[in-house]
Amino acid sequence: MLLNGDCPESLKKEEGAAELPRENGLDEGEPGDETTGQEVIVIQDTGFSVKILAPGIEPFSLQVSPQEMVQEIHQVLMDREDTCHRTCFSLHLDGNMLDHFSELRSVEGLQEGSVLRVVEEPYTVREARIHVRHVRDLLKSLDPSDAFNGVDCNSLSFLSVFTDGDLGDSGKRKKGLEMDPIDCTPPEYILPGSRERPLCPLQPQNRDWKPLQCLKVLTMSGWNPPPGNRKMHGDLMYLFVITAEDRQVSITASTRGFYLNQSTAYHFNPKPASPRFLSHSLVELLNQISPTFKKNFAVLQKKRVQRHPFERIATPFQVYSWTAPQAEHAMDCVRAEDAYTSRLGYEEHIPGQTRDWNEELQTTRELPRKNLPERLLRERAIFKVHSDFTAAATRGAMAVIDGNVMAINPSEETKMQMFIWNNIFFSLGFDVRDHYKDFGGDVAAYVAPTNDLNGVRTYNAVDVEGLYTLGTVVVDYRGYRVTAQSIIPGILERDQEQSVIYGSIDFGKTVVSHPRYLELLERTSRPLKILRHRVLNDRDEEVELCSSVECKGIIGNDGRHYILDLLRTFPPDLNFLPVPGEELPEECTRAGFPRAHRHKLCCLRQELVDAFVEHRYLLFMKLAALQLMQQKASKVENPTSLENGGLSPSESKPEDPLGSEVESQEEGGSASGLAKVKELAETIASDDGTDPRSREVIRNACKAVGSISSTAFDIRFNPDIFSPGVRFPESCQDEVRDQKQLLKDAAAFLLSCQIPGLVKDCTDHAVLPMDGATLAEVMRQRGINMRYLGKVLDLVLRSPARDQLDHIYKIGIGELITRSAKHIFKTYLQGVELSGLSAAISHFLNCFLSSYPNPVAHLPADELLSKKRNKRRKNRPPGAADNTAWAVMTPQELWKNICQEAKNYFDFSLECDSVDQAVETYGLQKITLLREISLKTGIQILLKEYSFDSRHKPAFTEEDVLNIFPVVKHVNPKASDAFHFFQSGQAKVQQGFLKEGCELINEALNLFNNVYGAMHVEICACLRLLARLHYIMGDYAEALSNQQKAVLMSERVMGIEHPNTIQEYMHLALYCFASSQLSTALSLLYRARYLMLLVFGEDHPEMALLDNNIGLVLHGVMEYDLSLRFLENALAVSTKYHGPKALKVALSHHLVARVYESKAEFRSALQHEKEGYTIYKTQLGEDHEKTKESSEYLKCLTQQAVALQRTMNEIYRNGSSANIPPLKFTAPSMASVLEQLNVINGILFIPLSQKDLENLKAEVARRHQLQEASKNRDKAEEPMATEPEPAGASEDVGSQPQAAKDPSSPSLQG
């Protein structure tokens, strides 16, 4: 069922047909290419080409691969410029029609050179609709409105605005123009020190967007549907068209095609009109009757096909834009029809009406997964169904909140209602029937869905055969939280009490268990670290469980074992769960814990559980090894002491140094620690447990670290500990006591290890968050929940390196403020009816961000007066409260609430009572706060310059709020095999084996494309690394092409101003510069700088790198003064964030010195180079090459300065007759600039001679032939892709120096 989303294949073919294949066997145009690289390991069938004969055009050939379906050729033809207007056709081979859904390999007689004939088929109503829809899509293909409106998985991309089209081709043209004058002056607002932060440049106007008008109107006619007598003549439907020449025509769609009829707006006459022209394609008919249409449609299709495929492929999940320009609303029949028929009829091209989501989600999981091709097919199906389900659930949730879906229990009050739409079950995040009374009521009911989603995510990732979870999507929209779930077959006919055969429906009063569930859940218990345990039910019987009590097991009518309500998959977080009579460890009490949270569902994150267990494992190894060494030592000294294997240092002195070594190793970071542990593990293994003493040692170590087994390390958590209402049998008291201790240790571990570890990583700039989302991601990777944000900020404030953490502090405070504001906004919106939405949102934004002291809300009643007040209805849609309480909010009140919220939720005291004070105190930017709050709440605002600081008028009016989008949380299915390849490729690169790394990563790219289609975050990372590798290996063209894809993909999938996109822009600029496209490189760097200013501001460690890049490029084009502005800013920022003695700062001084040298200002140059020299000398010593280089450069500068002084003296002495030797001021060579650019970007080249390069290419070619040969040899078996290379291949790698990575530069992944 990979019908709709399978766009990449359709795009790739015509792209690939146009140009020769590239060296690495991947065509430029198509990342999703199924026909080339990937069968190297996946499918051992090679592609072949067929000839296509279509009516009215020249025959052409098309590359296909055996595992494609016939219908993928249909897609290609519907996308090609010359056949795009056909939708209703079949393909015939030797007079036989091919089945749409069969694979090409199963078609008899289809081989290299076969001729496929395109045969036009008669229309049906469905086919006619699909045809009209396709024509409309072609007419709108360059129009960005779908991306701004966030529909159909369209999203924005602006790269082509800055590169003037495709980089690959233009690169060849611009080669000769190396030093042509280019205008390098950036706009004023990009220069260092500018205070202005405009919003409009975020979405520059694209030239292609002024669309060519082909038609004025194309809509369904009011005469639809055809009356019976016309139906019997073959009329399917009527269309109404106004051409660009203002001619109004009525068109009949009949089974044979499209023709003009004689109807007018008021008079029905279905007889054909002249010219009596019947066309199978609507486009051909319109070409006949409108010359403008003919001309513009051709140009439009040409442009459409020229765009980079990545600008037009749909993304797997919808990305919303928080700003949009003012758009004209044009007539569009398909959009209008979509809105009124819920699009379920023919949207997914699937027989039958609606999709049975549950069945699809579960069947894809049941697909076989024994070998690689099977796993790929399975993962691809799972991913596709998930992305479709997420889209449908999002649409349904919005319909529910907008009041367009009938409840299944309409008589209950709004909060209690539940809905079913399109086979998806929707419920609202309120505490109905006091279910969560003991857990925090509505607050608990609001967080339960996200906890549950995390549980679903985890169980899906463990992927145990036979255990099923529900499709789950959580949608926040207009202040409401909606949970969308697929429906267990039969659950609606039965009572919940009867169906639950495992777990508890009342939080542990009545509990049941089931052997099959225990067996299935037992398989998940090890990876999820869940302890199998016993609890008491209401009749005091012991019941065994292997999950938390509220995890319910239900067997559906389809016989599958489902688990749901996974909100307590992970153990509780004791820091936020005060339990009477329980003392927390000292680290926690010191930090002011436990604190009562708003609900009792706080759990530890999975990342934290994993980190804690790993930490305990290191500890276990150290204890065990220490004891074993003591034993060995004591065996030598006197075999009788130390019988009990106890660890008392007083008994045996010799191993005391080892004790201190273990201590110091704790400090020394985990890399060496892990290496030691491996050694220790071997020591322990070699003792093979026969020796009773070593068994004793293991037992002691297990006890010390809290392992549940006494013979091996095994830590698991009981998720029911501290659950209100859960009771444990007497016999388990010891176990429960140990479990409680373990939870306390985990809570302490978060505070004593994880948060300090995060702050240390930030101080070392090992992680560089740039906005709220990236900071949250960095915290979550370490298992720190967002509710600890206040604690993280406290630690930053107390850190000795406070200044070097300034950026973290600013981002953290901004995140704290916007999250608190989001909490307030949520309840604020629930009180707003639909007609007051834009007024309410703009009023909230004014109170939040505008300096205007007393904004007044406009109540919606102003525009229209209604005659009589309608009586209040009991049944309103959830968003239709009729109060106007929101209108009385004031800025003072809002900021007071924000500070209160920050204190209550994050335990952090903000010192500000207005937005201006916050900006002043914490150095924030209002535009950044606006971006953060819009992204978090789904607001979309008008793209224009807002005067936040005006005290005379409010910043926002209700016309500035364009839309409110849902914020969607869903499961992200992973491509596991591809990811393993990617990781092993990265590892190879880190070890310096670039070629092997490159091959593995290419392989990963193919597999990712196979599973995700062409667009995905992980593919983006893959392309970036490939580009970097090609760059290092000297293949600039390939680096450019891959990096261009990475930028486009990052813009489309993550957002046009996401920090990741900013970094991709910087990489692309470097590769452009290396390919001599200087002006493009500059405009890309300026774009990156603008985005960074908008997202964070100027004062960020990453800004130093960016400004060094800009400064170097400007230096290269001899814009010295401009270059100095950027380089000196970079120097200032580096000094602040890395400390004045850092090597980065020395490099910065050197770069500044070089520009001063070019300007012949030798005194300044000398001054900077001396600073740099001093740093090198103190940090690296006299003999280091860097120090020597610097001292050479100082000598050279001094000589130049002396020469200049001599010349000046000569002039003073002899006046104008002086005989002056010409001074040599050289512009820096491009090569030297590029060398410096590589240094600052952490790229080190492996010097390869021309001969090496030739060898490399020959080697790749030889490898390719080998693969071709082996492909034909072993069709049956699946080669292992992670095997080491053949012996011959690794020898020539040995000749390359291993130092692909020097320790001071960041790693190659960039």
Side-chain angles (χ1 to χ4, degrees):
M1 270 168 7
L2 300 158
L3 310 168
N4 238 350
D6 245 22
C7 202
E9 285 80 34
S10 58
L11 297 173
K12 65 177 198 221
K13 303 258 170 43
E14 63 179 278
E15 297 286 335
E19 54 181 80
L20 298 166
R22 299 259 158 166
E23 281 163 68
N24 62 354
L26 267 172
D27 275 6
E28 164 75 306
E30 64 303 85
D33 199 337
E34 305 235 308
T35 61
T36 49
Q38 103 218 344
E39 324 82 13
V40 174
I41 61 158
V42 183
I43 296 119
Q44 288 85 20
D45 298 320
T46 39
F48 55 93
S49 65
V50 293
K51 218 177 192 54
I52 304 279
L53 287 181
I57 59 165
E58 294 291 303
F60 56 91
S61 72
L62 188 64
Q63 188 70 21
V64 293
S65 89
Q67 77 278 4
E68 279 178 22
M69 288 195 192
V70 173
Q71 77 126 25
E72 292 179 31
I73 301 185
H74 277 248
Q75 291 281 6
V76 177
L77 296 180
M78 282 164 63
D79 199 73
R80 264 182 78 97
E81 193 181 341
D82 47 6
T83 55
C84 64
H85 53 272
R86 306 189 174 280
T87 59
C88 186
F89 59 88
S90 56
L91 295 169
H92 288 234
L93 174 66
D94 308 330
N96 299 324
M97 182 168 129
L98 304 185
D99 170 38
H100 220 62
F101 294 107
S102 57
E103 291 191 342
L104 295 185
R105 68 178 88 172
S106 63
V107 176
E108 271 183 48
L110 185 61
Q111 64 211 32
E112 177 70 39
S114 292
V115 176
L116 291 179
R117 194 181 273 295
V118 173
V119 178
E120 298 174 341
E121 293 288 326
Y123 282 101
T124 58
V125 173
R126 178 171 174 276
E127 284 293 345
R129 282 187 160 182
I130 288 174
H131 185 76
V132 172
R133 179 180 199 106
H134 181 65
V135 169
R136 169 264 197 176
D137 286 344
L138 291 175
L139 289 173
K140 280 190 55 179
S141 54
L142 292 183
D143 176 14
S145 60
D146 279 356
F148 285 122
N149 294 330
V151 291
D152 291 343
C153 286
N154 285 314
S155 59
L156 297 163
S157 161
F158 290 99
L159 177 63
S160 55
V161 178
F162 301 98
T163 56
D164 292 332
D166 194 25
L167 287 167
D169 316 334
S170 50
K172 301 182 187 69
R173 280 205 312 278
K174 291 183 190 158
K175 272 285 159 58
L177 320 177
E178 180 143 330
M179 290 311 284
D180 264 15
I182 37 184
D183 179 28
C184 310
T185 325
E188 196 58 37
Y189 56 81
I190 287 177
L191 289 172
S194 160
R195 314 280 333 131
E196 191 192 351
R197 298 281 182 267
L199 184 58
C200 287
L202 177 61
Q203 293 174 340
Q205 282 303 305
N206 195 327
R207 286 191 302 275
D208 288 346
W209 287 354
K210 282 286 156 264
L212 299 156
Q213 199 181 33
C214 299
L215 290 175
K216 289 197 171 159
V217 177
L218 162 66
T219 66
M220 295 290 173
S221 152
W223 298 114
N224 282 320
N229 63 328
R230 289 309 304 167
K231 242 181 175 162
M232 298 167 77
H233 281 84
D235 291 10
L236 301 171
M237 63 185 184
Y238 305 117
L239 304 171
F240 174 65
V241 170
I242 303 179
T243 66
E245 296 86 359
D246 273 330
R247 177 179 171 197
Q248 304 196 2
V249 289
S250 192
I251 296 178
T252 300
S254 73
T255 49
R256 292 166 52 224
F258 296 82
Y259 61 85
L260 301 185
N261 62 38
Q262 297 178 24
S263 300
T264 63
Y266 306 109
H267 178 69
F268 181 63
N269 180 355
K271 297 274 184 292
S274 59
R276 295 187 161 210
F277 175 76
L278 171 79
S279 160
H280 192 263
S281 140
L282 180 56
V283 172
E284 283 173 4
L285 177 64
L286 294 168
N287 277 341
Q288 287 288 322
I289 60 172
S290 163
T292 315
F293 179 88
K294 184 169 187 173
K295 185 177 102 224
N296 287 355
F297 187 77
V299 177
L300 187 69
Q301 292 324 306
K302 210 163 226 68
K303 274 191 169 170
R304 175 179 69 88
V305 192
Q306 277 165 0
R307 289 174 70 195
H308 196 287
F310 281 12
E311 292 182 64
R312 49 201 183 106
I313 295 172
T315 57
F317 300 103
Q318 184 67 57
V319 177
Y320 298 102
S321 162
W322 62 278
T323 52
Q326 194 72 60
E328 297 89 61
H329 193 61
M331 267 194 177
D332 177 346
C333 65
V334 178
R335 186 190 62 218
E337 191 197 17
D338 282 352
Y340 291 112
T341 60
S342 64
R343 264 177 87 179
L344 295 182
Y346 58 101
E347 101 178 293
E348 309 288 4
H349 298 267
I350 278 185
Q353 288 300 297
T354 54
R355 291 170 69 167
D356 182 344
W357 291 111
N358 191 65
E359 189 54 34
E360 285 190 40
L361 288 162
Q362 313 311 348
T363 5
T364 50
R365 290 218 159 266
E366 287 165 348
L367 290 171
R369 44 175 151 175
K370 291 190 192 56
N371 52 27
L372 189 61
E374 283 185 352
R375 283 198 299 274
L376 287 177
L377 204 68
R378 173 175 185 264
E379 285 177 347
R380 178 179 181 170
I382 289 176
F383 184 75
K384 182 76 184 84
V385 172
H386 262 104
S387 78
D388 288 355
F389 177 69
T390 303
T394 308
R395 231 175 41 231
M398 291 168 72
V400 163
I401 296 300
D402 289 339
N404 303 336
V405 180
M406 181 77 180
I408 50 179
N409 50 346
S411 54
E412 308 214 22
E413 66 164 308
T414 318
K415 285 184 170 188
M416 320 267 288
Q417 288 176 355
M418 293 172 268
F419 306 82
I420 289 181
W421 177 88
N422 191 358
N423 279 328
I424 305 174
F425 174 77
F426 297 93
S427 53
L428 301 172
F430 294 109
D431 184 14
V432 291
R433 308 197 174 72
D434 285 341
H435 191 64
Y436 292 105
K437 195 173 69 194
D438 302 341
F439 291 88
D442 277 350
V443 188
Y446 187 82
V447 298
T450 44
N451 280 5
D452 182 35
L453 180 67
N454 288 334
V456 171
R457 200 175 278 143
T458 329
Y459 276 103
N460 279 354
V462 177
D463 211 3
V464 167
E465 232 169 298
L467 191 62
Y468 297 90
T469 55
L470 301 184
T472 308
V473 174
V474 178
V475 180
D476 289 317
Y477 177 61
R478 285 180 49 195
Y480 293 90
R481 174 158 285 183
V482 187
T483 312
Q485 291 173 308
S486 63
I487 301 169
I488 299 180
I491 182 99
L492 296 168
E493 291 97 78
R494 317 179 278 199
D495 227 11
Q496 206 183 6
E497 281 79 18
Q498 308 161 343
S499 9
V500 173
I501 57 163
Y502 171 89
S504 162
I505 55 170
D506 45 18
F507 286 105
K509 294 185 192 57
T510 51
V511 195
V512 286
S513 187
H514 187 279
R516 176 74 182 131
Y517 270 105
L518 280 175
E519 174 196 337
L520 288 169
L521 288 167
E522 180 70 48
R523 286 191 229 154
T524 65
S525 68
R526 190 171 199 110
L528 300 188
K529 325 268 188 293
I530 292 176
L531 177 67
R532 187 163 170 164
H533 58 278
R534 298 196 298 280
V535 299
L536 294 175
N537 66 10
D538 48 351
R539 295 198 292 281
D540 288 337
E541 300 155 352
E542 292 190 12
V543 181
E544 189 161 23
L545 296 176
C546 196
S547 65
S548 66
V549 284
E550 26 336 88
C551 164
K552 303 172 190 38
I554 295 181
I555 299 184
N557 284 358
D558 51 3
R560 294 189 178 107
H561 291 73
Y562 292 93
I563 48 170
L564 52 155
D565 287 351
L566 308 174
L567 49 142
R568 288 188 159 230
T569 306
F570 295 110
D573 179 353
L574 293 194
N575 288 329
F576 286 93
L577 191 71
V579 181
E582 293 288 346
E583 276 293 299
L584 283 186
E586 195 240 345
E587 297 97 317
C588 303
T589 47
R590 219 183 18 233
F593 288 111
R595 293 190 58 226
H597 201 54
R598 302 187 169 169
H599 56 82
K600 296 186 175 168
L601 295 177
C602 296
C603 333
L604 300 172
R605 295 184 64 85
Q606 184 179 13
E607 297 90 340
L608 184 90
V609 172
D610 293 345
F612 176 69
V613 171
E614 191 176 317
H615 173 79
R616 281 286 161 111
Y617 181 63
L618 283 172
L619 194 65
F620 167 77
M621 282 316 209
K622 283 172 192 160
L623 288 172
L626 208 55
Q627 288 189 314
L628 281 175
M629 293 199 182
Q630 281 185 336
Q631 279 194 359
K632 288 217 172 84
S634 64
K635 269 185 197 159
V636 181
E637 284 178 28
N638 65 1
T640 55
S641 84
L642 263 179
E643 267 309 280
N644 58 356
L647 177 57
S648 92
S650 57
E651 286 182 35
S652 49
K653 274 280 172 279
E655 57 288 335
D656 198 39
L658 194 129
S660 55
E661 191 183 316
V662 168
E663 286 310 305
S664 63
Q665 194 185 311
E666 281 279 353
E667 308 295 305
S670 58
S672 58
L674 283 168
K676 277 237 171 70
V677 164
K678 287 216 174 67
E679 225 171 282
L680 304 184
E682 282 154 22
T683 324
I684 294 175
S686 64
D687 265 305
D688 70 12
T690 43
D691 177 358
R693 283 191 187 173
S694 52
R695 258 190 309 216
E696 176 73 25
V697 168
I698 302 281
R699 189 175 310 129
N700 287 337
C702 282
K703 194 167 175 196
V705 296
S707 163
I708 55 165
S709 141
S710 58
T711 53
F713 175 83
D714 188 1
I715 283 191
R716 302 194 192 186
F717 290 91
N718 175 346
D720 283 330
I721 299 279
F722 297 123
S723 280
V726 177
R727 298 173 306 140
F728 297 99
E730 278 302 311
S731 55
C732 307
Q733 288 317 310
D734 289 354
E735 183 191 286
V736 170
R737 192 190 60 239
D738 294 346
Q739 279 293 322
K740 286 183 175 173
Q741 190 51 47
L742 202 58
L743 283 179
K744 292 175 186 174
D745 295 346
F749 169 75
L750 198 160
L751 294 171
S752 61
C753 287
Q754 295 307 86
I755 295 183
L758 169 71
V759 174
K760 181 179 185 307
D761 284 348
C762 291
T763 317
D764 302 342
H765 304 298
V767 290
L768 276 175
M770 216 182 282
D771 68 342
T774 40
L775 175 66
E777 194 185 326
V778 167
M779 284 175 61
R780 286 173 180 149
Q781 280 166 357
R782 285 159 183 72
I784 305 167
N785 312 66
M786 286 317 287
R787 56 177 173 269
Y788 285 99
L789 182 57
K791 285 289 162 267
V792 173
L793 290 176
D794 282 340
L795 199 59
V796 166
L797 275 177
R798 296 204 309 273
S799 160
R802 163 73 184 83
D803 285 349
Q804 294 179 27
L805 290 167
D806 206 27
H807 61 300
I808 302 290
Y809 189 62
K810 277 183 194 163
I811 296 171
I813 292 283
E815 187 69 351
L816 202 92
I817 291 175
T818 44
R819 276 179 183 265
S820 303
K822 178 186 78 172
H823 296 167
I824 296 163
F825 185 66
K826 180 187 81 195
T827 39
Y828 172 87
L829 267 194
Q830 289 180 4
V832 181
E833 57 178 28
L834 197 49
S835 59
L837 215 49
S838 57
I841 294 174
S842 61
H843 180 61
F844 183 90
L845 289 176
N846 279 329
C847 293
F848 183 43
L849 293 173
S850 173
S851 304
Y852 183 67
N854 39 3
V856 179
H858 296 281
L859 292 177
D862 301 350
E863 282 181 46
L864 302 165
L865 293 167
S866 84
K867 275 285 194 298
K868 54 179 196 298
R869 300 294 306 173
N870 51 358
K871 296 277 180 286
R872 287 196 56 173
R873 299 197 321 286
K874 176 179 169 194
N875 251 336
R876 347 181 61 101
D882 236 7
N883 59 10
T884 46
W886 56 267
V888 298
M889 173 184 274
T890 63
Q892 297 75 18
E893 181 198 354
L894 174 61
W895 276 90
K896 196 175 121 205
N897 289 343
I898 287 177
C899 294
Q900 217 172 337
E901 181 70 13
K903 184 73 191 144
N904 295 347
Y905 195 92
F906 297 106
D907 193 25
F908 191 86
S909 312
L910 285 173
E911 284 146 28
C912 51
D913 49 21
S914 71
V915 66
D916 294 313
Q917 213 179 335
V919 167
E920 191 56 37
T921 316
Y922 298 111
L924 307 172
Q925 306 184 134
K926 288 186 178 181
I927 190 92
T928 305
L929 290 174
L930 175 64
R931 170 179 178 264
E932 293 282 356
I933 190 84
S934 304
L935 290 175
K936 285 180 178 54
T937 53
I939 303 171
Q940 186 185 49
I941 57 162
L942 182 62
L943 185 72
K944 70 170 206 193
E945 300 313 338
Y946 292 95
S947 49
F948 296 110
D949 297 335
S950 158
R951 300 193 64 80
H952 306 298
K953 63 177 214 301
F956 299 90
T957 69
E958 46 193 291
E959 299 309 310
D960 296 333
V961 179
L962 298 183
N963 210 336
I964 183 158
F965 290 125
V967 177
V968 184
K969 300 178 175 67
H970 54 83
V971 177
N972 264 320
K974 290 274 177 266
S976 50
D977 289 290
F979 192 62
H980 293 320
F981 271 86
F982 183 61
Q983 282 182 316
S984 32
Q986 272 182 320
K988 281 275 187 230
V989 170
Q990 299 267 310
Q991 296 158 7
F993 299 116
L994 299 193
K995 254 176 14 183
E996 281 89 338
C998 202
E999 286 180 8
L1000 283 168
I1001 286 161
N1002 258 322
E1003 215 38 84
L1005 181 63
N1006 286 321
L1007 300 185
F1008 277 136
N1009 281 322
N1010 215 333
V1011 174
Y1012 296 140
M1015 283 267 149
H1016 196 273
V1017 184
E1018 288 171 16
I1019 299 180
C1020 188
C1022 219
L1023 287 165
R1024 178 196 333 172
L1025 188 50
L1026 266 181
R1028 191 142 181 152
L1029 287 172
H1030 282 299
Y1031 180 69
I1032 290 174
M1033 300 192 321
D1035 186 349
Y1036 294 164
E1038 199 56 45
L1040 254 186
S1041 142
N1042 278 319
Q1043 189 57 33
Q1044 181 187 11
K1045 293 176 190 168
V1047 174
L1048 285 169
M1049 195 173 302
S1050 185
E1051 287 192 305
R1052 296 278 324 275
V1053 187
M1054 299 173 97
I1056 51 172
E1057 81 297 356
H1058 189 281
N1060 187 70
T1061 308
I1062 300 177
Q1063 295 197 310
E1064 303 294 6
Y1065 264 99
M1066 285 164 65
H1067 294 310
L1068 184 61
L1070 173 65
Y1071 308 152
C1072 276
F1073 185 87
S1075 314
S1076 311
Q1077 302 184 27
L1078 309 190
S1079 56
T1080 307
L1082 260 181
S1083 60
L1084 292 170
L1085 287 169
Y1086 287 155
R1087 170 69 170 171
R1089 191 171 210 275
Y1090 164 71
L1091 293 175
M1092 193 126 110
L1093 289 172
L1094 178 86
V1095 165
F1096 176 81
E1098 201 158 52
D1099 191 16
H1100 192 283
E1102 198 67 352
M1103 193 56 105
L1105 177 60
L1106 185 49
D1107 282 353
N1108 274 330
N1109 274 300
I1110 296 176
L1112 274 167
V1113 176
L1114 287 169
H1115 186 192
V1117 296
M1118 303 196 301
E1119 289 275 350
Y1120 302 136
D1121 292 333
L1122 206 49
S1123 169
L1124 273 178
R1125 289 188 68 172
F1126 287 102
L1127 290 176
E1128 288 181 327
N1129 188 57
L1131 175 59
V1133 174
S1134 286
T1135 310
K1136 170 173 174 179
Y1137 283 109
H1138 296 281
K1141 294 280 173 282
L1143 294 176
K1144 277 210 164 88
V1145 177
L1147 179 61
S1148 222
H1149 278 298
H1150 174 64
L1151 298 179
V1152 174
R1154 288 182 37 171
V1155 183
Y1156 277 122
E1157 177 198 8
S1158 300
K1159 288 179 66 176
E1161 296 182 16
F1162 295 115
R1163 179 171 299 164
S1164 306
L1166 276 165
Q1167 193 184 338
H1168 278 288
E1169 191 54 45
K1170 273 181 190 143
E1171 294 273 343
Y1173 173 72
T1174 319
I1175 296 175
Y1176 283 135
K1177 200 169 86 175
T1178 48
Q1179 296 280 11
L1180 305 170
E1182 295 267 355
D1183 303 331
H1184 194 276
E1185 53 171 334
K1186 286 267 189 243
T1187 322
K1188 287 181 182 158
E1189 270 171 31
S1190 180
S1191 114
E1192 283 300 305
Y1193 185 56
L1194 275 173
K1195 281 183 201 145
C1196 159
L1197 281 176
T1198 316
Q1199 284 161 3
Q1200 281 176 287
V1202 171
L1204 179 68
Q1205 199 51 51
R1206 266 196 212 124
T1207 313
M1208 298 309 260
N1209 296 347
E1210 181 81 9
I1211 294 176
Y1212 288 135
R1213 250 199 318 256
N1214 301 353
S1216 54
S1217 65
N1219 162 22
I1220 308 167
L1223 283 175
K1224 297 195 192 68
F1225 292 142
T1226 47
S1229 72
M1230 284 300 139
S1232 74
V1233 173
L1234 186 57
E1235 189 188 338
Q1236 292 295 340
L1237 277 171
N1238 291 327
V1239 171
I1240 61 172
N1241 287 297
I1243 291 178
L1244 285 149
F1245 279 93
I1246 294 180
L1248 288 179
S1249 62
Q1250 199 48 45
K1251 194 170 126 256
D1252 286 340
L1253 276 173
E1254 294 307 315
N1255 292 349
L1256 199 85
K1257 286 191 175 148
E1259 175 64 30
V1260 170
R1262 190 177 66 94
R1263 188 93 39 100
H1264 196 72
Q1265 284 164 351
L1266 277 176
Q1267 278 160 346
E1268 289 296 318
S1270 68
K1271 252 192 272 181
N1272 305 335
R1273 255 204 326 277
D1274 45 26
K1275 289 258 162 85
E1277 58 199 6
E1278 165 221 355
M1280 262 309 285
T1282 39
E1283 288 290 323
E1285 299 296 343
S1290 51
E1291 284 155 18
D1292 55 319
V1293 176
S1295 64
Q1296 302 177 358
Q1298 284 281 317
K1301 210 182 131 238
D1302 97 347
S1304 67
S1305 73
S1307 68
L1308 288 165
Q1309 293 110 285

